[in-house]
Amino acid sequence: MRERRRTLVGVVTSDKMDKTVVVTVQRITRHPLYGKVIKVNKKYKAHDENNEAREGDLVRICECRPISKEKKFFVQEILERADVV
C-alpha cells in the first residue's frame, strides 16, 4: 500500500538560494501539561524549480524523495502572492 504525501501550507521566508525557498509553517497545539494554546513555527526547505516563489508568498509544499541533505519538499503551488513594495 502506498503512503499519502504530506502537504503543508506556509509563508516563504527566504528565496535567496537558487531553486530553493525556506517556508515557515505555523501550527497551533496545546501544551501537554498546562494546556495553554501555543503557536509552533517550523522551517522547511522546499524545491522551487523555476524560482517562481518570492518572499512573503503563501505556498503549498508537498513531501517528496530527498533532493539534498535538508530538502525533502517541493513547492506544489503558490496560493497567494505577497504585496510588492
Side-chain angles (χ1 to χ4, degrees), residues 9 19 21 24 26 32 36 41 44 61 64-65 71 74:
V9 175
K19 297 187 179 184
V21 291
T24 301
Q26 187 178 70
K36 180 177 177 169
N41 294 314
Y44 296 94
I61 58 175
C64 64
R65 63 175 178 79
K71 224 178 1 174
F74 68 93

Side-chain angles (χ1 to χ4, degrees), residues 4-44:
R4 188 173 166 165
R5 289 182 173 176
R6 193 164 52 135
T7 59
L8 303 167
V9 175
V11 178
V12 176
T13 52
S14 173
D15 63 343
K16 290 175 175 52
M17 293 173 274
D18 186 34
K19 297 187 179 184
T20 304
V21 291
V22 178
V23 180
T24 301
V25 176
Q26 187 178 70
R27 64 185 179 91
I28 298 171
T29 186
R30 284 196 171 270
H31 189 278
L33 179 61
Y34 301 115
K36 180 177 177 169
V37 176
I38 51 176
K39 293 176 184 175
V40 180
N41 294 314
K42 187 162 182 192
K43 291 182 179 180
Y44 296 94

Side-chain angles (χ1 to χ4, degrees), residues 3 6 11 14 40 47 53-54 59 68-69 74 80:
E3 286 185 37
R6 193 164 52 135
V11 178
S14 173
V40 180
H47 186 68
R54 295 282 166 249
V59 295
S68 68
K69 180 182 174 183
F74 68 93
E80 188 179 312

Side-chain angles (χ1 to χ4, degrees), residues 45-60:
K45 288 191 177 133
H47 186 68
D48 183 19
E49 183 64 37
N50 300 324
N51 291 319
E52 293 171 344
R54 295 282 166 249
E55 198 168 326
D57 290 352
L58 187 69
V59 295
R60 176 178 286 124

